[in-house]
Structures are given as structure tokens and as C-alpha cells.
Amino acid sequence: MTAAKSPDACETMLDVRAGVDEVDRELVALLVRRFGYMDAAARIKTDRSAVRDEVRKAQVLDNVAREGAAAGLDPDRLRAIWNELVEQSIAYEDVRWGRLRADG
């Protein structure tokens, strides 16, 4: 498979869709890695109440908003996307935390 064109080089909707599909594959790979860190957190945290950390969540959202704004993206839109990502990550980690202790 050839690499997709850069957004500026796209001339057709097929070019655009190929680029979006490529980015989506890359994002899935990154999410697999991110959720691997949630597995590690579930393994490391000794208390289930530590799974939800609102201070850390706020820090993550602030970091993403700042990075996005610096790159020219709407920080509020990124906050909304990352809020869902973090909430799903917390839910995943909570399930993993419980399963690790139930099996042990």
C-alpha cells in the first residue's frame, strides 16, 4: 500500500478518504498503545479509588488544549474529544483493575 497524499496534495475525494483512512489506522495503533498504559495503571494502582483521578484528568485536558491551540486547532473541540477519550480510558482501567484482582 502506498502512503496517502498530504492534505495539501489531495486533488480528489478519493485522495482525501485515503488520507483519512490512513490516519484512522494510525490513531487506532496509538489507542492500542494508550490503552496498554491503562492496563499498566490498573496493574500498578493498589486502590480502586485511584483509578479516577480528576486532577490528572484536568492536567491531560489542559495539555491537549494547549498543544492543539499551538498547532492552530480549536482547544475546546479537542477538550471535548479528549474528555470522552479519558472517560473511556477510566472506564476501561476500572474494568481491568477489577478483573486483575478477581483473578488473583
Side-chain angles (χ1 to χ4, degrees):
M1 180 185 312
T2 61
K5 294 179 179 180
S6 70
D8 291 339
C10 289
E11 297 173 353
T12 68
M13 283 308 299
L14 288 175
D15 293 340
V16 170
R17 290 176 181 149
V20 168
D21 290 346
E22 181 176 272
V23 169
D24 286 348
R25 284 188 297 275
E26 293 170 3
L27 286 171
V28 168
L30 288 171
L31 288 171
V32 167
R33 183 176 171 202
R34 190 182 203 285
F35 276 74
Y37 287 110
M38 298 305 96
D39 287 332
R43 177 177 42 81
I44 292 167
K45 292 178 182 176
T46 57
D47 190 315
R48 190 175 217 152
S49 66
V51 170
R52 176 169 288 280
D53 182 344
E54 291 297 331
V55 172
R56 174 61 179 153
K57 178 182 173 182
Q59 185 181 50
V60 169
L61 297 179
D62 289 345
N63 290 344
V64 166
R66 185 174 48 257
E67 291 286 326
L73 297 176
D74 179 352
D76 292 332
R77 187 172 310 273
L78 290 179
R79 276 183 182 280
I81 292 167
W82 253 262
N83 185 67
E84 183 63 25
L85 175 59
V86 171
E87 285 299 321
Q88 291 299 324
S89 297
I90 291 167
Y92 174 87
E93 183 184 330
D94 186 64
V95 168
R96 295 295 297 152
W97 194 96
R99 285 184 181 159
L100 286 169
R101 271 82 190 160
D103 294 341

